[in-house]
Amino acid sequence: MSETSPLENMLAQMSAARPYADIDDGVFERLKHPERTLKVTLPIHRDDGSIEVYEGYRCQFDSARGPYKGGVRYHQSVTREEVEALAGWMTWKTALMDLPYGGAKGGVVVDTRDLSDREIEHLTRRYTEGIRRMIGPAMDVPAPDINTGPQEMAWMMDTYSMYEGYVVPDVVTGKPLSIGGTAGRVEATGRGVAITADHAFEYFERDLTEATIAIQGFGNVGSVTARLLDERGADIVAVSDITGGVYNADGLDTGALEAHLESTGGVAGFEGGRSIDNDDLLRLDVDVLCPAALENAITVDVAEELRADLVLEAANGPTTVAADEVLRERDVPVVPDILTNAGGVIVSYLEWVQNSQQYSWDLEGVNADLERRISTAFEETIEAFAERETPDLRTAAYAVALERVGDAHGVRGLFP
Ligand SMILES: NC(=O)C1=CN([C@@H]2O[C@H](COP(=O)(O)OP(=O)(O)OC[C@H]3O[C@@H](n4cnc5c(N)ncnc54)[C@H](O)[C@@H]3O)[C@@H](O)[C@H]2O)C=CC1
Ligand SMILES: O=C(O)CCC(=O)C(=O)O
């Protein structure tokens, strides 16, 4: 069966929630279209002196509730449509978290494994120059996503500041602490996934300390999620990344696995478990399957065969629309991405607020704020699910988000 693209999935998820949301038809129609997408051409000098040209995008999906917000992804599979889908998901995520933001996303079509650190720096600075007319603290605030992190954010902040002529820390979030980053941002997305797991287990009356968990993707989000769920007493029985996967029925030692990743660059070859391929990981008999890599990991084929009792979406868009339907029919609940992985943008918001006040908060304060916001959104999603009788949690989360964005459009009105 042919599967839908991330953009088709995002639009279908919106349409599924339409009957459950009080939103004007015209506004809903408007929200199906991103406000703008810029394509940029990025020539850089390779280390051997040759010139290579890359392509990048920044999509600003909607800004009715505040400045556009969303990460920047470096990956060989980036497309304009994918970036637009991801920018849409950011719009619904910031609204569900009730943050004063809209949604955006950026991406560069590149396999960073082919580039040296110097080449990545040049690409990042070129990309920042390319999109600098559309970003800014009050306009659009980028952040990390796949294959980008604090170092790339530092280069983006530096490049933007050079053009402005003064230091502008709040043009990006996810920066290193020494230049205005916040305590807790590196761990924030995984922490949010773990807090969401706490709530989901309580809601479904299950015991997280007894749970077995398989995680696809062991980067920023997957590795922190694994460590924090391990700390809660769950057994992380399998993880995978681009290099391969490892499985241990008694639970992997997540600390040793992180050390292995640090020294070898991947999870493959970890001696605390046997190797497992990515496809098998998705079909393991576990309590929780946690996709934390790319979109469209859970297709119809996977949904028909997976044996997890719960899907916890740490990645953006990991489940296709048709797979969602199969999981619904099979009574496998899915805790949706726009709720589960919102910890990152919540703490990005806190970083942006600290930068604008030139004041910094301690880790305890940041984590408490993160927990309060994501817990409120979980309760609101459950409430919408129960009261509006939506078919699943994703539709409930979208209904809440759509109404908030729709309301902002309604009160602002259309430019005549
Ligand atoms: N970094 C953040 O703060 C946030 C990230 N996300 C989402 O979480 C997901 C992961 O992002 P990060 O951890 O930041 O990226 P990352 O670049 O740190 O890690 C990505 C991981 O996925 C693995 N991976 C890639 N393709 C794979 C495949 N086919 N099978 C198995 N593993 C594969 C990589 O090897 C790596 O371990 C993405 O969907 C991203 O959009 C969502 C919210 C915030
Ligand atoms: O931290 C942010 O602003 C956005 C993170 C992101 O790209 C995401 O939530 O998908």
Side-chain angles (χ1 to χ4, degrees), residues 73 75 86 93 105 144-148 185-186 189 216-222 240-244 261 278 292-295 314-317 341-342 344-345:
R73 170 176 296 195
H75 199 272
L86 289 160
K93 194 185 306 185
K105 203 81 174 196
D145 192 73
I146 289 181
N147 289 321
T148 60
R185 176 60 184 88
V186 170
T189 309
Q216 183 201 41
F218 201 66
N220 172 275
V221 179
S240 66
D241 68 7
I242 201 73
T243 66
L261 176 76
N278 257 313
L294 295 168
E295 301 88 53
N316 285 305
N341 71 28
V345 73

Side-chain angles (χ1 to χ4, degrees), residues 157-171:
M157 179 271 222
D158 183 65
T159 308
Y160 185 86
S161 298
M162 279 164 57
Y163 281 101
E164 292 298 301
Y166 57 96
V167 183
V168 190
D170 41 354
V171 65

